[in-house]
Amino acid sequence: MPNKLRLGWFTFTCCEDNSILFLELMNKNYFEWKRMIDFRYCKMLKSHNVLDSLDVAFIEGAISNDKEKEKLLEIRAKSKYLVAVGGCAVTGYPSAQRNDFTPEQKAKIAPFLEKWGLYGIVQRPDQIVRIDDKVPGCPMIEEIFLKVLDKYLIEFKAKIGGE
Ligand code: SF4
């Protein structure tokens, strides 16, 4: 029997289109993935989620407050590999667009940032933790995501020899 890949999927500041794409991919792949993947933490699939030891964690979105930063550090500490999916996690943009606001625009949003405890400068995840793989695109490019997932399925012997 092959091992199961212990997978987590996490969302930070973004529009969550990568999650939607992942769900769309399940229309084709769910039953095959279910044999190979232990969805330890995946809120789009189940309500009871465990953040313990993960083989690979996929993260979407940029980091825009202390709570997200702490969660990202926790995920990094508990995951063998961390993969940034989608433009917001890879480059920060478009979620980080307020970083480029004019001084006047920044003054206008300052009360909202203070009220909600948000950073004035949104951060890319790789400014905070080490990232092992990146899946670019807005939303993520499907073919690259599937290749990266496949690589980890094979590495963790959840899929034998790229069958
Ligand atoms: S990269 Fe684009 S599609 Fe993906 S979460 Fe950000 S805004 Fe949404």
Side-chain angles (χ1 to χ4, degrees), residues 36-127:
M36 300 188 281
I37 297 174
D38 177 2
F39 291 97
R40 303 292 299 164
Y41 196 108
C42 190
K43 283 187 166 175
M44 70 187 111
L45 286 185
K46 52 186 201 165
S47 49
H48 179 64
N49 290 280
V50 185
L51 177 44
D52 48 10
S53 152
L54 298 172
D55 295 326
V56 57
F58 291 89
I59 55 164
E60 65 171 349
I63 305 302
S64 64
N65 58 53
D66 281 339
K67 201 171 155 203
E68 289 189 338
K69 185 176 178 180
E70 279 159 28
K71 181 85 175 197
L72 178 62
L73 289 166
E74 184 185 3
I75 295 164
R76 176 70 270 183
K78 293 179 173 174
S79 306
K80 294 188 183 89
Y81 293 100
L82 190 56
V83 181
V85 296
C88 294
V90 173
T91 69
Y93 289 84
S95 287
Q97 56 187 294
R98 68 171 171 268
N99 296 1
D100 303 323
F101 278 7
T102 63
E104 293 75 26
Q105 289 171 317
K106 285 183 177 170
K108 269 195 180 163
I109 64 168
F112 298 100
L113 298 182
E114 195 181 337
K115 180 173 178 184
W116 300 109
L118 299 171
Y119 294 158
I121 298 292
V122 176
Q123 294 188 289
R124 294 189 318 271
D126 72 355
Q127 291 175 291

Side-chain angles (χ1 to χ4, degrees), residues 112-150:
F112 298 100
L113 298 182
E114 195 181 337
K115 180 173 178 184
W116 300 109
L118 299 171
Y119 294 158
I121 298 292
V122 176
Q123 294 188 289
R124 294 189 318 271
D126 72 355
Q127 291 175 291
I128 299 167
V129 294
R130 191 185 82 250
I131 299 288
D132 300 295
D133 263 305
K134 293 177 180 176
V135 181
C138 179
M140 65 179 184
I141 299 168
E142 192 178 310
E143 296 72 31
I144 300 179
F145 172 75
L146 290 172
K147 261 192 200 161
V148 169
L149 177 60
D150 227 45

Side-chain angles (χ1 to χ4, degrees), residues 3-31:
N3 297 321
K4 282 198 171 189
L5 181 75
R6 295 166 67 88
L7 182 147
W9 182 279
F10 302 89
T11 299
F12 295 105
T13 300
C14 69
C15 76
E16 303 185 27
D17 265 13
N18 309 290
S19 291
I20 301 296
L21 198 53
F22 189 33
L23 274 181
E24 289 289 341
L25 287 168
M26 287 190 195
N27 285 329
K28 270 191 282 175
N29 301 292
Y30 180 70
F31 290 104

